[in-house]
């Protein structure tokens, strides 16, 4: 990843630079070098924003948030909100569900059982309907036992309901 990033810089390939920074950050996190990985993922968000690469910024922000959810860090929820907004703009349901799953983890850890349950219900419904599985995405997201087992809710909350819960300004983790 580091070599690919160096080549992208050397060749001034503006669309590739943020993507390689993101891959480098993810690789560092997966290798256990969390602080270095977070630094690279933050850089990837800045580089993607500067290049107008919304999806790359969203995924970089999501992976950064995922490291913070796993650590119980309070910065996770604002990053998840931003990432969700970007994925909504991009129309990327798969990553929207991954963000909502991690949002449920963050809200659950913060003691917001109702908010977490609503997000889980939306994810469960959409995963059953579309076959999209947010479990184990990217940086090996936590999957609590029993969260998506059995039939999805017959009357699930809407994706808009989930977005409202996750993006409510009063929520802080």
């Amino acid at each position: 990843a580091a070599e690919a990033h160096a080549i992208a810089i050397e060749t001034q390939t503006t669309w590739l630079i943020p993507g390689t920074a993101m891959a480098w950050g993810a690789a560092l996190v997966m290798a256990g070098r969390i602080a270095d990985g977070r630094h690279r993922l933050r850089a990837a968000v800045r580089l993607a924003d500067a290049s107008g690469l919304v999806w790359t910024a969203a995924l970089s922000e999501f992976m950064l948030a995922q490291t913070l959810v796993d650590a119980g860090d309070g910065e996770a929820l604002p990053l998840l909100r931003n990432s969700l907004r970007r994925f909504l703009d991009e129309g990327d349901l798969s990553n929207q569900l991954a963000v909502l799953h991690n949002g449920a983890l963050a809200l659950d850890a913060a003691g917001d059982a109702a908010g977490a349950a609503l997000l889980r219900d939306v994810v469960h419904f959409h995963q059953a309907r579309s076959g999209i599985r947010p479990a184990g995405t990217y940086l090996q997201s936590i999957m609590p036992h029993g969260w998506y087992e059995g039939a999805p809710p017959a009357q699930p909350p809407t994706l808009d309901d989930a977005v409202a819960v996750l993006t409510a300004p009063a929520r802080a983790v």
Side-chain angles (χ1 to χ4, degrees), residues 140-166:
Q140 302 175 344
S141 176
I142 297 167
M143 183 59 62
H145 180 71
W147 267 28
Y148 303 118
E149 293 176 1
Q155 298 275 327
T158 66
L159 188 57
D160 287 341
D161 294 332
V163 170
V165 166
L166 188 60

Side-chain angles (χ1 to χ4, degrees), residues 91-146:
D92 185 340
L93 179 62
S94 178
N95 281 311
Q96 291 168 27
L97 296 179
V99 169
L100 292 173
H101 166 75
N102 279 268
L105 291 169
L107 293 176
D108 192 56
D112 184 352
L118 186 141
L119 296 185
R120 279 195 315 272
D121 283 350
V122 169
V123 171
H124 192 182
F125 174 78
H126 283 283
Q127 109 177 0
R129 188 169 138 214
S130 64
I132 296 171
R133 302 249 180 237
T137 56
Y138 306 112
L139 303 179
Q140 302 175 344
S141 176
I142 297 167
M143 183 59 62
H145 180 71

Side-chain angles (χ1 to χ4, degrees), residues 18-99:
T20 57
M22 177 182 68
W24 191 1
L28 288 168
V29 169
M30 293 170 90
R33 295 175 52 194
I34 307 298
D36 291 339
R38 286 179 181 157
H39 174 75
R40 289 287 169 196
L41 289 168
R42 287 181 206 287
V45 172
R46 287 190 303 276
L47 291 164
D49 279 342
S51 298
L53 300 170
V54 176
W55 187 88
T56 304
L59 187 57
S60 300
E61 215 160 33
F62 169 60
M63 285 194 282
L64 175 58
Q66 202 173 24
T67 71
L68 299 165
V69 167
D70 292 347
D73 188 297
E75 187 186 358
L77 208 51
L79 288 166
L80 289 170
R81 288 180 187 126
N82 289 338
S83 179
L84 180 61
R85 285 185 188 107
R86 294 177 199 261
F87 284 132
L88 287 166
D89 289 345
E90 292 290 300
D92 185 340
L93 179 62
S94 178
N95 281 311
Q96 291 168 27
L97 296 179
V99 169

